[in-house]
Coordinates of all heavy atoms in Angstrom, one line a residue:
M19 N 110.3 92.8 125.7 CA 111.3 91.9 126.3 C 110.9 90.5 126.2 O 109.8 90.1 126.8 CB 111.4 92.4 127.8 CG 112.8 91.9 128.4 SD 114.2 92.6 127.6 CE 115.4 91.3 128.1
S20 N 111.6 89.6 125.5 CA 111.2 88.2 125.4 C 111.9 87.4 126.5 O 113.0 87.7 126.9 CB 111.6 87.7 124.0 OG 113.0 87.7 123.9
S21 N 111.2 86.4 127.0 CA 111.7 85.6 128.1 C 112.2 84.3 127.5 O 111.9 83.9 126.4 CB 110.5 85.3 129.0 OG 110.8 84.2 129.8
I22 N 113.1 83.7 128.2 CA 113.7 82.4 127.8 C 112.8 81.3 128.2 O 113.0 80.2 127.7 CB 115.1 82.3 128.4 CG1 115.9 81.2 127.6 CG2 115.1 81.9 129.9 CD1 117.3 81.5 127.5
F23 N 111.7 81.6 128.9 CA 110.7 80.5 129.3 C 109.4 80.8 128.6 O 109.0 81.9 128.3 CB 110.5 80.6 130.8 CG 111.7 80.2 131.6 CD1 112.5 81.1 132.2 CD2 112.0 78.8 131.8 CE1 113.6 80.8 132.9 CE2 113.1 78.5 132.5 CZ 113.9 79.4 133.1
V24 N 108.7 79.7 128.3 CA 107.4 79.8 127.8 C 106.5 78.9 128.6 O 106.9 77.8 129.0 CB 107.3 79.4 126.3 CG1 107.7 78.0 126.0 CG2 105.9 79.8 125.7
L25 N 105.3 79.4 128.9 CA 104.4 78.6 129.8 C 103.5 77.6 129.0 O 102.8 78.0 128.1 CB 103.5 79.6 130.5 CG 102.6 79.0 131.6 CD1 103.5 78.5 132.8 CD2 101.6 80.0 132.2
V26 N 103.7 76.3 129.3 CA 102.9 75.3 128.6 C 102.4 74.4 129.7 O 103.2 73.8 130.5 CB 103.8 74.5 127.6 CG1 102.9 73.4 127.0 CG2 104.4 75.4 126.6
D27 N 101.0 74.2 129.8 CA 100.4 73.3 130.7 C 101.0 73.5 132.1 O 101.4 72.6 132.8 CB 100.7 71.9 130.2 CG 100.0 70.8 131.0 OD1 98.9 71.2 131.5 OD2 100.4 69.7 131.1
D28 N 101.0 74.8 132.5 CA 101.4 75.2 133.9 C 102.9 74.9 134.2 O 103.3 74.8 135.3 CB 100.6 74.4 135.0 CG 99.2 75.0 135.1 OD1 99.0 76.1 134.6 OD2 98.3 74.4 135.6
K29 N 103.7 74.7 133.1 CA 105.1 74.5 133.3 C 105.9 75.6 132.6 O 105.6 75.9 131.4 CB 105.5 73.2 132.8 CG 104.9 72.0 133.5 CD 105.1 70.7 132.8 CE 104.2 69.6 133.3 NZ 102.8 69.7 132.8
H30 N 106.8 76.2 133.2 CA 107.7 77.2 132.5 C 108.8 76.4 131.8 O 109.7 75.9 132.5 CB 108.3 78.2 133.5 CG 107.3 79.1 134.1 ND1 106.9 80.2 133.4 CD2 106.6 79.1 135.2 CE1 106.0 80.9 134.1 NE2 105.8 80.2 135.2
V31 N 108.7 76.3 130.5 CA 109.6 75.5 129.7 C 110.7 76.4 129.1 O 110.4 77.4 128.5 CB 108.9 74.8 128.6 CG1 109.9 74.0 127.7 CG2 107.8 73.9 129.1
P32 N 112.0 76.0 129.4 CA 113.1 76.8 128.8 C 113.1 76.6 127.3 O 113.1 75.5 126.8 CB 114.4 76.3 129.4 CG 113.9 75.3 130.5 CD 112.5 74.9 130.2
L33 N 113.1 77.7 126.5 CA 112.9 77.6 125.0 C 114.0 76.7 124.4 O 113.8 76.0 123.4 CB 112.9 79.0 124.4 CG 111.7 79.8 124.7 CD1 111.8 81.2 124.3 CD2 110.4 79.2 124.1
Y34 N 115.2 76.8 125.0 CA 116.4 76.0 124.4 C 116.2 74.5 124.5 O 117.0 73.7 124.0 CB 117.7 76.5 125.0 CG 117.8 76.5 126.5 CD1 118.1 75.3 127.1 CD2 117.6 77.6 127.3 CE1 118.1 75.2 128.5 CE2 117.6 77.6 128.6 CZ 117.9 76.4 129.3 OH 118.0 76.3 130.6
R35 N 115.2 74.1 125.3 CA 115.0 72.6 125.5 C 114.0 72.1 124.5 O 113.8 70.9 124.3 CB 114.5 72.3 126.9 CG 115.6 72.4 127.9 CD 115.2 71.6 129.2 NE 115.0 70.2 128.9 CZ 114.2 69.4 129.6 NH1 113.4 69.9 130.5 NH2 114.1 68.1 129.3
V36 N 113.3 73.0 123.7 CA 112.3 72.5 122.7 C 113.0 72.0 121.5 O 113.8 72.6 120.9 CB 111.4 73.7 122.3 CG1 110.5 73.3 121.3 CG2 110.7 74.2 123.6
M37 N 112.7 70.7 121.2 CA 113.2 70.0 120.0 C 112.3 70.3 118.8 O 112.8 70.6 117.7 CB 113.4 68.5 120.2 CG 114.1 68.1 121.5 SD 115.8 68.6 121.4 CE 116.5 67.5 120.2
W38 N 111.1 70.0 119.0 CA 110.1 70.3 117.9 C 108.7 70.5 118.5 O 108.5 70.2 119.6 CB 110.1 69.2 116.8 CG 110.0 67.8 117.3 CD1 111.0 66.8 117.4 CD2 108.8 67.1 117.7 NE1 110.5 65.6 117.8 CE2 109.1 65.7 118.0 CE3 107.4 67.4 117.9 CZ2 108.2 64.8 118.5 CZ3 106.5 66.5 118.3 CH2 106.9 65.2 118.6
I39 N 107.8 71.0 117.6 CA 106.5 71.4 118.0 C 105.5 70.8 117.0 O 105.6 71.0 115.8 CB 106.3 72.9 118.1 CG1 107.3 73.5 119.1 CG2 104.9 73.3 118.4 CD1 107.7 74.9 118.8
A40 N 104.5 70.1 117.5 CA 103.6 69.4 116.6 C 102.7 70.4 115.8 O 102.3 71.4 116.3 CB 102.7 68.5 117.4
D41 N 102.5 70.0 114.5 CA 101.7 70.9 113.7 C 100.2 70.5 113.8 O 99.3 71.3 113.5 CB 102.2 70.8 112.2 CG 101.5 71.8 111.3 OD1 101.4 73.0 111.7 OD2 101.0 71.4 110.3
T42 N 100.0 69.2 114.1 CA 98.6 68.7 114.1 C 98.4 68.2 115.6 O 99.3 67.7 116.2 CB 98.4 67.6 113.1 OG1 99.4 66.6 113.3 CG2 98.4 68.1 111.7
P43 N 97.1 68.2 116.0 CA 96.8 67.7 117.3 C 97.0 66.2 117.5 O 96.9 65.5 116.5 CB 95.3 68.1 117.5 CG 94.8 68.5 116.3 CD 95.9 68.7 115.3
H44 N 97.4 65.8 118.6 CA 97.6 64.4 118.9 C 96.4 63.5 118.8 O 95.3 63.9 119.3 CB 98.2 64.2 120.3 CG 98.4 62.8 120.8 ND1 99.4 62.0 120.4 CD2 97.6 62.1 121.6 CE1 99.3 60.8 121.0 NE2 98.2 60.8 121.7
F45 N 96.5 62.4 118.1 CA 95.4 61.4 118.1 C 96.0 60.0 118.1 O 96.8 59.7 117.2 CB 94.5 61.6 116.9 CG 93.5 60.5 116.8 CD1 92.3 60.5 117.6 CD2 93.7 59.5 115.9 CE1 91.4 59.5 117.5 CE2 92.7 58.4 115.8 CZ 91.6 58.5 116.6
C46 N 95.7 59.2 119.0 CA 96.2 57.8 119.0 C 95.1 56.8 119.2 O 95.3 55.6 119.0 CB 97.3 57.6 120.1 SG 96.6 57.8 121.8
G47 N 93.8 57.3 119.5 CA 92.7 56.3 119.6 C 92.7 55.6 120.9 O 91.8 54.8 121.2
N48 N 93.7 55.8 121.7 CA 93.7 55.1 123.0 C 92.7 55.6 124.0 O 92.6 56.8 124.2 CB 95.1 55.3 123.6 CG 95.4 54.3 124.8 OD1 94.5 53.9 125.5 ND2 96.7 53.9 124.9
E49 N 91.9 54.7 124.6 CA 90.8 55.2 125.4 C 91.2 56.0 126.6 O 90.6 57.0 127.0 CB 90.0 54.0 125.9 CG 88.8 53.7 125.1 CD 88.1 52.4 125.7 OE1 87.9 52.4 126.9 OE2 87.7 51.6 124.9
D50 N 92.3 55.6 127.3 CA 92.8 56.4 128.4 C 93.8 57.4 128.1 O 94.6 57.9 129.0 CB 93.2 55.5 129.6 CG 93.5 54.1 129.2 OD1 92.5 53.4 129.1 OD2 94.6 53.7 128.9
C51 N 93.9 57.9 126.9 CA 94.8 58.9 126.5 C 94.3 60.2 127.0 O 93.1 60.6 126.8 CB 94.9 59.0 125.0 SG 96.1 60.2 124.4
T52 N 95.2 61.0 127.7 CA 94.8 62.3 128.3 C 95.2 63.4 127.4 O 95.0 64.6 127.7 CB 95.4 62.4 129.7 OG1 96.8 62.2 129.6 CG2 94.8 61.4 130.7
C53 N 95.9 63.1 126.3 CA 96.5 64.2 125.5 C 95.7 64.3 124.1 O 96.2 65.0 123.2 CB 97.9 64.0 125.2 SG 98.8 62.8 126.2
E54 N 94.6 63.6 124.0 CA 93.9 63.7 122.7 C 93.5 65.1 122.4 O 93.0 65.9 123.2 CB 92.6 62.9 122.9 CG 92.0 62.3 121.7 CD 92.7 61.1 121.2 OE1 92.6 60.0 121.9 OE2 93.4 61.1 120.2
G55 N 93.9 65.6 121.2 CA 93.5 66.9 120.7 C 94.5 68.0 121.2 O 94.4 69.1 120.9
M56 N 95.5 67.5 121.9 CA 96.6 68.5 122.4 C 97.8 68.4 121.4 O 97.9 67.5 120.7 CB 97.1 68.1 123.8 CG 96.0 68.1 124.8 SD 95.4 69.7 125.3 CE 96.7 70.1 126.6
Y57 N 98.5 69.5 121.5 CA 99.7 69.6 120.6 C 101.0 69.2 121.4 O 101.2 69.8 122.4 CB 99.8 71.0 120.0 CG 98.7 71.3 119.1 CD1 97.5 71.7 119.5 CD2 98.9 71.3 117.7 CE1 96.4 72.0 118.7 CE2 97.9 71.6 116.8 CZ 96.7 72.0 117.3 OH 95.7 72.2 116.4
E58 N 101.7 68.3 120.8 CA 102.9 67.8 121.6 C 104.1 68.8 121.3 O 104.3 69.3 120.2 CB 103.4 66.5 121.1 CG 104.6 65.9 121.9 CD 104.8 64.5 121.6 OE1 104.3 63.9 120.6 OE2 105.6 63.9 122.3
V59 N 104.7 69.2 122.4 CA 105.9 70.0 122.4 C 107.0 69.1 122.9 O 107.1 68.8 124.1 CB 105.8 71.3 123.2 CG1 107.1 72.1 123.2 CG2 104.7 72.2 122.7
R60 N 107.9 68.7 122.0 CA 108.9 67.7 122.4 C 110.1 68.4 123.0 O 110.6 69.4 122.4 CB 109.4 67.0 121.1 CG 110.3 65.8 121.4 CD 109.6 64.7 122.1 NE 110.4 63.5 122.2 CZ 110.0 62.4 122.7 NH1 108.8 62.3 123.3 NH2 110.7 61.3 122.8
L61 N 110.6 67.9 124.1 CA 111.7 68.5 124.8 C 112.9 67.6 124.7 O 112.8 66.4 124.5 CB 111.4 68.8 126.2 CG 110.1 69.6 126.5 CD1 109.9 69.8 128.0 CD2 110.2 71.0 125.8
E62 N 114.1 68.1 124.9 CA 115.3 67.4 125.1 C 115.1 66.3 126.1 O 114.4 66.5 127.1 CB 116.5 68.3 125.5 CG 117.2 68.9 124.4 CD 118.3 69.9 124.9 OE1 118.6 69.8 126.1 OE2 118.7 70.7 124.1
G63 N 115.8 65.2 126.0 CA 115.8 64.1 127.0 C 114.6 63.3 127.1 O 114.1 63.0 128.1
D64 N 114.0 63.0 125.9 CA 112.8 62.1 125.8 C 111.6 62.6 126.6 O 110.9 61.8 127.2 CB 113.2 60.8 126.3 CG 113.3 59.8 125.1 OD1 113.2 60.2 124.0 OD2 113.4 58.6 125.4
D65 N 111.4 63.9 126.7 CA 110.4 64.5 127.5 C 109.5 65.3 126.6 O 109.9 65.8 125.6 CB 111.1 65.5 128.5 CG 110.3 65.6 129.8 OD1 109.3 64.9 129.9 OD2 110.7 66.4 130.6
S66 N 108.2 65.3 127.0 CA 107.2 66.1 126.2 C 106.3 66.9 127.1 O 106.0 66.4 128.2 CB 106.3 65.2 125.4 OG 107.1 64.6 124.3
V67 N 105.8 68.0 126.7 CA 104.7 68.7 127.3 C 103.6 68.8 126.3 O 103.8 68.7 125.1 CB 105.1 70.1 127.9 CG1 106.0 69.9 129.1 CG2 105.8 70.9 126.8
W68 N 102.4 69.0 126.8 CA 101.2 69.0 125.9 C 100.5 70.3 126.0 O 100.2 70.8 127.0 CB 100.2 67.9 126.3 CG 100.9 66.5 126.1 CD1 101.6 65.8 127.0 CD2 100.9 65.8 124.9 NE1 102.1 64.7 126.5 CE2 101.7 64.6 125.2 CE3 100.4 65.9 123.6 CZ2 101.9 63.6 124.2 CZ3 100.6 65.0 122.7 CH2 101.3 63.8 123.0
A69 N 100.4 70.9 124.8 CA 99.9 72.3 124.7 C 98.5 72.4 124.1 O 98.2 71.6 123.2 CB 100.9 73.2 123.9
T70 N 97.7 73.3 124.5 CA 96.5 73.6 123.7 C 96.9 74.4 122.5 O 98.1 74.8 122.3 CB 95.6 74.5 124.6 OG1 96.3 75.7 124.9 CG2 95.2 73.8 125.9
R71 N 96.0 74.6 121.6 CA 96.3 75.3 120.3 C 96.9 76.7 120.6 O 97.9 77.1 120.0 CB 95.1 75.4 119.5 CG 95.2 76.2 118.2 CD 95.5 75.4 117.0 NE 96.1 76.2 116.0 CZ 95.8 76.1 114.7 NH1 95.0 75.2 114.3 NH2 96.5 76.9 113.9
P72 N 96.2 77.5 121.5 CA 96.8 78.8 121.7 C 98.2 78.8 122.4 O 99.1 79.5 122.1 CB 95.8 79.5 122.7 CG 94.6 78.7 122.6 CD 94.9 77.3 122.1
E73 N 98.4 77.8 123.3 CA 99.7 77.6 123.9 C 100.7 77.2 122.8 O 101.9 77.7 122.9 CB 99.6 76.5 124.9 CG 99.1 76.9 126.3 CD 98.9 75.8 127.3 OE1 98.8 74.6 126.9 OE2 98.8 76.1 128.5
R74 N 100.3 76.3 121.9 CA 101.2 75.9 120.9 C 101.7 77.1 120.0 O 102.9 77.2 119.7 CB 100.5 74.8 120.0 CG 101.4 74.0 119.1 CD 101.8 74.6 117.7 NE 100.7 75.2 117.0 CZ 100.1 74.7 115.9 NH1 100.6 73.6 115.4 NH2 99.1 75.4 115.3
D75 N 100.7 77.9 119.6 CA 101.0 79.1 118.8 C 102.0 80.0 119.6 O 102.9 80.6 119.0 CB 99.8 79.8 118.4 CG 98.9 79.0 117.4 OD1 99.5 78.1 116.8 OD2 97.8 79.4 117.2
N76 N 101.7 80.1 120.9 CA 102.5 80.9 121.8 C 104.0 80.4 121.8 O 104.9 81.2 121.8 CB 101.9 80.9 123.2 CG 102.4 82.0 124.0 OD1 102.8 83.1 123.5 ND2 102.5 81.8 125.3
V77 N 104.2 79.1 121.9 CA 105.5 78.5 121.9 C 106.2 78.8 120.6 O 107.4 79.2 120.6 CB 105.4 76.9 122.1 CG1 106.8 76.3 122.0 CG2 104.8 76.6 123.4
L78 N 105.5 78.6 119.4 CA 106.1 78.9 118.1 C 106.6 80.4 118.1 O 107.7 80.6 117.7 CB 105.1 78.7 117.0 CG 104.8 77.3 116.6 CD1 103.7 77.2 115.7 CD2 106.1 76.6 116.0
K79 N 105.8 81.3 118.6 CA 106.1 82.7 118.5 C 107.3 83.0 119.5 O 108.2 83.7 119.1 CB 104.9 83.6 119.0 CG 104.2 84.2 117.8 CD 103.1 85.2 118.3 CE 101.8 84.6 118.1 NZ 100.7 85.1 119.0
A80 N 107.3 82.3 120.6 CA 108.4 82.6 121.6 C 109.7 82.1 121.1 O 110.7 82.7 121.3 CB 108.0 81.9 122.9
V81 N 109.7 80.9 120.5 CA 110.9 80.3 120.0 C 111.5 81.2 118.9 O 112.7 81.5 118.8 CB 110.7 78.9 119.4 CG1 112.0 78.4 118.7 CG2 110.4 77.9 120.6
E82 N 110.6 81.7 118.0 CA 111.0 82.6 116.9 C 111.6 83.9 117.5 O 112.7 84.3 117.0 CB 109.8 82.9 116.0 CG 110.2 83.2 114.6 CD 109.0 83.2 113.7 OE1 108.5 82.1 113.5 OE2 108.7 84.3 113.2
A83 N 110.9 84.5 118.4 CA 111.4 85.7 119.0 C 112.8 85.5 119.7 O 113.6 86.3 119.6 CB 110.4 86.3 120.0
W84 N 112.9 84.4 120.4 CA 114.1 84.0 121.1 C 115.3 83.9 120.1 O 116.4 84.4 120.3 CB 113.9 82.8 121.9 CG 115.1 82.2 122.6 CD1 115.8 82.8 123.6 CD2 115.8 81.0 122.3 NE1 116.9 82.0 123.9 CE2 116.9 80.9 123.2 CE3 115.5 79.9 121.5 CZ2 117.7 79.8 123.3 CZ3 116.3 78.8 121.5 CH2 117.4 78.7 122.4
H85 N 115.0 83.2 119.0 CA 116.0 83.0 118.0 C 116.4 84.3 117.3 O 117.6 84.6 117.2 CB 115.4 82.0 116.9 CG 116.4 81.8 115.8 ND1 117.5 81.0 115.9 CD2 116.4 82.3 114.5 CE1 118.1 80.9 114.8 NE2 117.5 81.7 113.9
N86 N 115.4 85.1 117.0 CA 115.7 86.5 116.4 C 116.6 87.3 117.4 O 117.5 88.0 117.0 CB 114.4 87.2 116.1 CG 113.7 86.6 114.9 OD1 114.4 85.8 114.2 ND2 112.5 86.8 114.8
G87 N 116.3 87.2 118.7 CA 117.0 87.9 119.7 C 118.5 87.5 119.7 O 119.4 88.3 119.9
Q88 N 118.7 86.2 119.6 CA 120.0 85.6 119.6 C 120.8 86.2 118.4 O 122.0 86.5 118.5 CB 120.0 84.1 119.5 CG 119.7 83.5 120.9 CD 120.2 82.0 120.9 OE1 120.1 81.4 119.9 NE2 120.7 81.6 122.0
E89 N 120.2 86.2 117.2 CA 120.8 86.7 116.0 C 121.3 88.1 116.2 O 122.3 88.5 115.8 CB 119.9 86.5 114.8 CG 120.0 85.1 114.2 CD 119.3 85.1 112.9 OE1 118.4 86.0 112.6 OE2 119.5 84.2 112.1
R90 N 120.4 88.9 116.8 CA 120.7 90.3 117.0 C 121.9 90.5 118.0 O 122.8 91.2 117.7 CB 119.5 91.0 117.6 CG 118.9 92.1 116.7 CD 118.0 93.0 117.4 NE 117.1 92.4 118.4 CZ 115.9 91.8 118.1 NH1 115.6 91.8 116.8 NH2 115.2 91.3 119.0
D91 N 121.9 89.6 119.0 CA 123.0 89.6 119.9 C 124.3 89.4 119.2 O 125.4 90.0 119.4 CB 122.9 88.6 121.0 CG 121.8 89.1 122.0 OD1 121.4 90.2 122.0 OD2 121.4 88.2 122.9
Q92 N 124.3 88.4 118.3 CA 125.5 88.0 117.6 C 126.0 89.2 116.7 O 127.2 89.4 116.6 CB 125.3 86.7 116.7 CG 125.8 85.5 117.5 CD 125.2 84.2 116.9 OE1 124.7 84.2 115.8 NE2 125.3 83.2 117.7
Q93 N 125.0 89.8 116.1 CA 125.4 91.0 115.2 C 126.1 92.1 116.0 O 127.0 92.8 115.5 CB 124.2 91.5 114.5 CG 123.9 90.7 113.2 CD 122.5 90.9 112.7 OE1 121.8 91.8 113.2 NE2 122.0 90.1 111.8
D94 N 125.6 92.2 117.2 CA 126.2 93.3 118.1 C 127.7 93.0 118.4 O 128.5 93.9 118.6 CB 125.5 93.4 119.4 CG 124.1 94.0 119.2 OD1 123.9 94.6 118.1 OD2 123.3 93.9 120.1
W95 N 128.1 91.7 118.4 CA 129.4 91.4 118.7 C 130.4 91.6 117.6 O 131.6 91.8 117.8 CB 129.5 89.9 119.2 CG 128.8 89.7 120.5 CD1 128.6 90.6 121.5 CD2 128.3 88.4 121.0 NE1 127.9 90.0 122.5 CE2 127.7 88.7 122.2 CE3 128.3 87.1 120.4 CZ2 127.1 87.7 123.0 CZ3 127.6 86.2 121.2 CH2 127.1 86.4 122.4
D96 N 129.9 91.6 116.3 CA 130.7 91.8 115.2 C 131.3 93.2 115.1 O 130.6 94.2 115.4 CB 130.0 91.5 113.9 CG 129.7 90.0 113.8 OD1 130.4 89.2 114.5 OD2 128.8 89.6 113.0
Ligands
ZN26 ZN1 97.5 59.4 122.9

């Protein structure tokens, strides 16, 4: 059973709010940057959450499973 939420950085993020997911870890060279080495998960509305590598992979899998589930639902209606 796939959920519509995925857990990133202690936040349950609704999958439909995810715009894109970073392929490479964040690096900006800023001394007080707290997201160095984290993967950005961009959300609707100019919002971002920061994921560890396993979390990032988990988000990718969850979005894919969610999308596949939606396609199956649509086929059921035909
Ligand atoms: Zn930074």
